[in-house]
């Protein structure tokens, strides 16, 4: 069992089959696992995307910075939804944002985040890095490095990393293990290269697994061989 984990959730994952908005059943399934891990004294940080509401590339006709800031605001909606669902299960949480919105959430302060972990709180990091041109994958890698997470758990819509899209290619090959350089050299779509490089430099392993699998978050946090490990 890892002591401190950084869970990366895509916004689309929270939307369930619809692909947009927030699906209560999906959120409940995720939250139940997080609550169980918290009871087992696992310290949990979460970075969630905003693609179920807005993706920066949707704003192709607008300024890139504006589009990316809209995406950051979408991550706040998802973060607040997760906070509400987790706290209804009796686990205290804090949302910390890379953009300053003090009426809604705390600003990201590393020392406060570490204090929350020691107090048994789940910490949800919103707004990615707070900078345009950086993905929430980069935000996850950055926060994982800052909090010294033991691992990044990357919940995906497929059960690991493949050499091509398994939804369109029946012969797609699943990888059980990859190195950081494999991902970079083979141009494997799991995280952007900035994120992979940051994980490599800080020696943070990445476990990519299918969110839809039974208790997959708990299994990944327990060190079970699930999905694809990148290290």
């Amino acid at each position: 069992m890892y002591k401190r984990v950084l869970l990366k959730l895509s916004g689309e994952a929270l939307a369930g089959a619809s692909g947009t908005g927030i699906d209560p059943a999906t959120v409940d399934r995720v939250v139940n696992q997080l609550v169980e891990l918290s009871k087992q004294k696992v310290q949990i940080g979460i970075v969630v995307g905003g693609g179920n509401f807005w993706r920066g590339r949707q704003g192709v006709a607008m300024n890139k910075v504006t589009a990316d800031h809209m995406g950051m605001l979408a991550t706040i909606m998802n973060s607040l939804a997760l906070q509400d669902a987790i706290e209804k299960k009796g686990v205290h949480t804090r949302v910390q944002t890379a953009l300053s919105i003090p009426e809604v959430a705390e600003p990201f302060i590393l020392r406060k985040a570490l204090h929350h972990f020691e107090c048994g709180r789940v910490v949800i990091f919103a707004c990615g890095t707070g900078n345009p041109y950086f993905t929430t994958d980069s935000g996850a890698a950055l926060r994982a490095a800052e909090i010294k997470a033991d691992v990044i758990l990357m919940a995906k819509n497929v059960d690991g990393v493949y050499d091509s899209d398994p939804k369109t290619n029946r012969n797609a090959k699943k990888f059980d293990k990859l190195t950081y350089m494999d991902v970079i050299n083979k141009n494997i779509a799991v995280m952007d290269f900035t994120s992979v490089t940051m994980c490599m430099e800080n020696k943070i392993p990445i476990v990519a697994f299918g969110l839809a699998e039974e208790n997959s978050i708990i299994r990944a946090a327990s060190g079970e061989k699930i999905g694809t490990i990148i290290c």
Side-chain angles (χ1 to χ4, degrees):
M1 182 73 72
Y2 294 109
K3 180 182 178 182
R4 180 178 295 165
V5 303
L6 192 290
L7 174 65
K8 169 59 170 63
L9 288 169
S10 68
E12 290 92 333
L14 297 182
S18 69
T20 60
I22 296 173
D23 177 55
T26 300
V27 171
D28 192 61
R29 187 173 69 251
V30 169
V31 166
N32 285 339
Q33 295 180 72
L34 298 177
V35 169
E36 179 59 31
L37 287 174
S38 181
K39 289 178 180 178
Q40 297 181 39
K41 307 302 181 184
V42 177
Q43 297 176 354
I44 306 166
I46 304 171
V47 170
V48 61
N52 52 327
F53 291 115
W54 177 264
R55 298 184 67 87
R57 62 172 176 261
Q58 289 175 251
V60 291
M62 66 173 62
N63 181 278
K64 170 66 172 171
V65 174
T66 300
D68 282 356
H69 279 142
M70 291 173 65
M72 293 177 208
L73 296 178
T75 71
I76 296 175
M77 291 192 285
N78 284 332
S79 296
L80 294 176
L82 278 176
Q83 180 182 46
D84 181 76
I86 294 170
E87 293 198 333
K88 282 180 178 177
K89 304 281 186 178
V91 175
H92 294 294
T93 73
R94 293 291 187 274
V95 173
Q96 292 196 337
T97 60
L99 298 179
S100 182
I101 311 179
E103 292 82 5
V104 175
E106 297 178 358
F108 171 70
I109 299 173
L110 177 58
R111 288 182 179 272
K112 292 190 74 171
L114 297 177
H115 176 70
H116 293 322
F117 289 138
E118 295 299 330
C119 293
R121 298 170 186 139
V122 173
V123 184
I124 306 168
F125 302 109
C127 302
T129 67
N131 299 291
Y133 295 96
F134 288 88
T135 67
T136 49
D137 285 348
S138 296
L142 175 62
R143 295 293 179 248
E146 289 175 310
I147 67 174
K148 293 181 167 50
D150 298 320
V151 66
I152 293 178
L153 305 180
M154 178 155 288
K156 300 176 70 66
N157 293 325
V158 292
D159 63 347
V161 180
Y162 288 77
D163 62 353
S164 59
D165 188 350
K167 295 179 180 178
T168 59
N169 180 10
R170 293 183 179 180
N171 297 316
K173 176 188 173 184
K174 179 184 174 185
F175 300 104
D176 293 324
K177 186 174 182 179
L178 291 165
T179 67
Y180 304 110
M181 291 308 299
D182 286 336
V183 175
I184 294 171
N185 291 334
K186 296 177 181 179
N187 195 25
I188 298 172
V190 56
M191 297 176 81
D192 64 70
F193 292 164
T194 300
S195 312
V196 175
T197 301
M198 189 176 299
C199 290
M200 179 171 63
E201 290 176 346
N202 291 281
K203 298 180 173 60
I204 305 169
I206 306 159
V207 178
F209 61 94
L211 182 63
E213 293 186 53
E214 186 71 20
N215 290 324
S216 58
I217 299 174
I218 293 174
R219 292 161 59 198
S222 299
E224 181 179 328
K225 289 185 179 179
I226 179 175
T228 304
I229 184 165
I230 302 165
C231 59

